[in-house]
Amino acid sequence: MLSYSILKHVTKETKIFVRYKHPSHHWSVLRKKDHPIDKALNHFDDFYKQVFDKKWPSIRKALFAKKKYIAVVNRFGDNIETISKLESEGALNMRRLFTLEKQYIQEEISEKKRNTALENIFKLDEMTEKATENVDPKVTSDNNLSKSSQFSLASSLSNAQYDTERLVDGKSFLSPEILHHFIPATKIKGNEDFLPESSHYKFYDQNIQFAVKSDNEFDIHFPEHLDIYCYEKYNKSDFGNPSKGSTGVYNYYLMDGGSVLPILALDIKPGHRVLDMCSSPGGKSLLAIQTLYPECVVSNDISGSRLDRVESVYEQFLYDFNEKWLGPGKIKLTLGDARNIVDDNFDRILVDVPCTTDRQSLHENDNNIFKPSRIKERLQLPELQKELLFHALKLVQKGGIVVYSTCSLSPIQNDGVVHMALKQIWEETNMEIVVKDLSPALLQARSVYEFADRNLLKYGHLVLPSMSHNYGPTYFCKLKKLK
């Protein structure tokens, strides 16, 4: 009886469930936490969807997908053996691809010219037939020669007018209203104050108009000593880790394929003095050296630790670096704010500015530009970028080239910064700058890269990440100083 009564009493008791919290490292807690990469993605979804419209989903997918690299063969290593090895593994020489595309383009142009000439002949025949109806045959015969010359292809080309200037005004793509439209409406809280991002672009004056000269460029000079290898589109093969050869340096350097184009756009020639304003991690400076053209390359950076990374790259890829490179002045490493550089003896200047580094911002939380502690820095990026570009245009010699580049999709950090710098040049100096439109020349690169539509850009060019060509993003704009 006793055991029965105890059992009966227990069954009537109320059960109490206690819920324990998961530890901070549990997946469910981490998933709910708002990381910098989450903030970056929210920002890009809000911002870039407006810019790229239907293309944004595919670009977004590519940013999260496996990134593609290219291999820059080290001329100071066992380059012949390295080239043979890369080609045996199925890698393609980028210079050869560009050359083949150039030949295809020339054939296409020739075919179009032939078709145009035939069309003109047919039109001329039709016009002649109509003109000779009810007309004296003798008069028609006398006029055939003059009409033929009037409607000939050569005559049409000689009378054609070519637009060499672009007028930038308040109604253009880069007007304040459009720029502000592309800035997310998100307000950021800092020091108990709410600050809209668009307020940082209030210095745009839509009433100011200024002419910007632009020239088409029809060819990309690919240095004969520069051997770069890539894989064809949709091929996701990896290059193995580089190894050291008989000279004690690594046989090739791996980098984002988009990073090649700003160096090619510089059009470095033998004897040129080259300045890389923001050189870390050192890949683009090394690429300039691999052309074997520069008399001197100055690699500058504002951070000592970042400059150490550049020096480390040089030591790994240039044999006897301290003796044969630093000593004679072939390479100079300088530490400081590039806006304070006073040496103006440069033929080529690369302005590869600090930016939101879009792909990295979606993959790494550490040191992410979207961290709450870096809000002010991120908002002030366009102003810093503009100041660096403006100073580069002042430093470069007459006839010299400045290439501005970022690894961002942002129209504010890209064309917007170029616009601001050109506006300041027009307002404060007597310099004459021409924007080089590389659209015709970049047709040579169409089998390697995917570029943004030209109607999205006013000045530069943008490599879009895609599942077929997953390089970039890389924006670059070529500017030449006439006076």
Side-chain angles (χ1 to χ4, degrees):
M1 292 293 295
L2 180 61
S3 61
Y4 172 75
S5 62
I6 292 175
L7 180 62
K8 185 176 181 182
H9 176 73
V10 171
T11 56
K12 289 183 178 179
E13 287 184 352
T14 304
K15 292 183 179 180
I16 300 175
F17 295 94
V18 179
R19 181 171 182 140
Y20 295 95
K21 291 184 178 180
H22 290 297
S24 59
H25 61 272
H26 193 269
W27 68 267
S28 61
V29 177
L30 293 175
R31 186 175 181 180
K32 293 178 181 178
K33 189 175 180 180
D34 195 11
H35 293 282
I37 58 176
D38 300 317
K39 293 182 179 179
L41 182 58
N42 291 335
H43 178 90
F44 296 157
D45 279 337
D46 185 26
F47 192 171
Y48 297 155
K49 187 176 181 181
Q50 299 177 59
V51 180
F52 299 102
D53 196 21
K54 295 179 180 179
K55 272 199 169 184
W56 170 238
S58 61
I59 297 172
R60 186 183 193 270
K61 183 179 179 181
L63 285 171
F64 282 104
K66 182 180 179 181
K67 182 180 178 180
K68 292 183 71 173
Y69 290 88
I70 52 97
V72 181
V73 176
N74 188 6
R75 299 293 302 185
F76 308 99
D78 301 328
N79 60 303
I80 297 177
E81 293 83 350
T82 301
I83 288 173
S84 177
K85 179 178 181 295
L86 291 174
E87 291 184 350
S88 68
E89 294 172 351
L92 304 174
N93 188 301
M94 192 179 291
R95 189 185 336 104
R96 292 178 192 165
L97 293 176
F98 278 35
T99 302
L100 287 172
E101 284 292 345
K102 190 187 301 185
Q103 294 173 358
Y104 296 151
I105 292 167
Q106 291 172 348
E107 291 174 1
E108 289 174 3
I109 292 174
S110 299
E111 184 65 26
K112 287 180 180 179
K113 284 183 177 180
R114 286 194 294 269
N115 292 337
T116 302
L118 289 173
E119 289 177 4
N120 288 337
I121 291 173
F122 292 146
K123 289 179 181 178
L124 181 60
D125 289 341
E126 292 176 3
M127 295 177 67
T128 303
E129 289 178 5
K130 292 180 179 179
T132 53
E133 291 179 0
N134 301 321
V135 175
D136 188 341
K138 183 179 180 181
V139 176
T140 301
S141 176
D142 294 338
N143 290 337
N144 274 344
L145 182 59
S146 61
K147 287 187 177 182
S148 176
S149 61
Q150 180 182 354
F151 295 105
S152 68
L153 178 61
S155 177
S156 299
L157 290 175
S158 64
N159 294 327
Q161 295 182 354
Y162 301 93
D163 184 15
T164 58
E165 293 190 351
R166 298 173 181 169
L167 187 63
V168 179
D169 55 30
K171 296 181 180 179
S172 70
F173 174 77
L174 291 171
S175 70
E177 294 177 352
I178 300 299
L179 285 171
H180 292 174
H181 175 70
F182 281 139
I183 297 298
T186 309
K187 293 185 177 180
I188 300 177
K189 189 174 183 180
N191 297 324
E192 300 306 316
D193 293 322
F194 284 97
L195 180 67
E197 293 185 50
S198 58
S199 67
H200 275 257
Y201 308 99
K202 60 187 178 183
F203 47 82
Y204 285 99
D205 187 346
Q206 66 183 40
N207 296 318
I208 292 180
Q209 299 181 4
F210 60 99
V212 179
K213 290 188 175 181
S214 176
D215 286 339
N216 286 331
E217 201 150 292
F218 295 92
D219 191 24
I220 294 177
H221 173 60
F222 209 116
E224 58 182 335
H225 302 297
L226 191 60
D227 287 300
I228 301 174
Y229 280 82
C230 63
Y231 287 103
E232 68 271 26
K233 64 179 182 178
Y234 292 111
N235 187 335
K236 298 180 181 180
S237 299
D238 288 322
F239 291 100
N241 292 326
S243 58
K244 291 185 177 181
S246 59
T247 60
V249 294
Y250 287 104
N251 50 15
Y252 57 80
Y253 182 83
L254 296 177
M255 65 191 306
D256 185 304
S259 300
V260 173
L261 295 174
I263 294 298
L264 293 181
L266 276 176
D267 193 19
I268 302 172
K269 298 293 175 58
H272 277 167
R273 290 177 54 84
V274 180
L275 168 63
D276 188 350
M277 275 188 157
C278 311
S279 59
S280 182
K284 293 184 178 69
S285 285
L286 179 64
L287 197 58
I289 294 169
Q290 293 292 334
T291 66
L292 305 185
Y293 287 159
E295 173 188 310
C296 176
V297 173
V298 177
S299 300
N300 178 80
D301 209 277
I302 196 172
S303 165
S305 60
R306 291 173 63 83
L307 196 62
D308 288 342
R309 292 177 63 188
V310 179
E311 185 174 11
S312 176
V313 168
Y314 285 153
E315 290 174 344
Q316 293 173 8
F317 288 86
L318 306 175
Y319 60 82
D320 294 336
F321 172 67
N322 292 319
E323 297 179 9
K324 295 185 177 180
W325 295 90
L326 281 180
K330 183 80 173 179
I331 294 176
K332 293 182 180 179
L333 295 167
T334 60
L335 175 64
D337 190 330
R339 293 171 293 183
N340 298 329
I341 294 175
V342 294
D343 184 3
D344 59 357
N345 188 26
F346 294 109
D347 305 285
R348 300 290 188 266
I349 300 180
L350 176 65
V351 192
D352 188 39
V353 294
C355 64
T356 48
T357 55
D358 292 0
R359 189 187 288 269
Q360 181 180 343
S361 294
L362 293 175
H363 289 271
E364 298 181 16
N365 280 312
D366 294 339
N367 203 32
N368 194 308
I369 193 69
F370 286 88
K371 291 176 66 174
S373 59
R374 300 185 70 185
I375 289 176
K376 184 177 179 181
E377 178 187 353
R378 176 163 60 87
L379 292 176
Q380 292 179 341
L381 275 176
E383 296 177 45
L384 169 64
Q385 294 162 344
K386 184 264 297 183
E387 290 169 3
L388 288 167
L389 176 55
F390 177 75
H391 191 59
L393 290 169
K394 290 197 300 181
L395 284 180
V396 74
Q397 290 188 345
K398 179 182 176 181
I401 299 293
V402 172
V403 172
Y404 173 80
S405 66
T406 76
C407 49
S408 172
L409 293 164
S410 168
I412 298 296
Q413 298 176 62
N414 297 339
D415 266 2
V417 167
V418 175
H419 177 77
M420 286 189 286
L422 291 175
K423 177 173 173 284
Q424 187 174 0
I425 290 288
W426 177 79
E427 290 176 335
E428 301 178 9
T429 75
N430 293 321
M431 291 189 291
E432 187 174 338
I433 307 296
V434 60
V435 177
K436 291 291 186 177
D437 185 353
L438 301 175
S439 299
L442 289 175
L443 289 174
Q444 301 170 32
R446 60 189 178 185
S447 65
V448 181
Y449 302 99
E450 180 171 336
F451 295 100
D453 294 337
R454 282 302 292 163
N455 60 3
L456 291 177
L457 298 153
K458 192 75 177 179
Y459 303 111
H461 308 272
L462 179 62
V463 175
L464 291 178
S466 68
M467 297 307 292
S468 58
H469 312 78
N470 206 1
Y471 301 122
T474 302
Y475 171 87
F476 58 103
C477 179
K478 180 176 182 177
L479 304 113
K480 184 174 183 177
K481 184 177 182 178
L482 299 183
K483 69 175 184 179

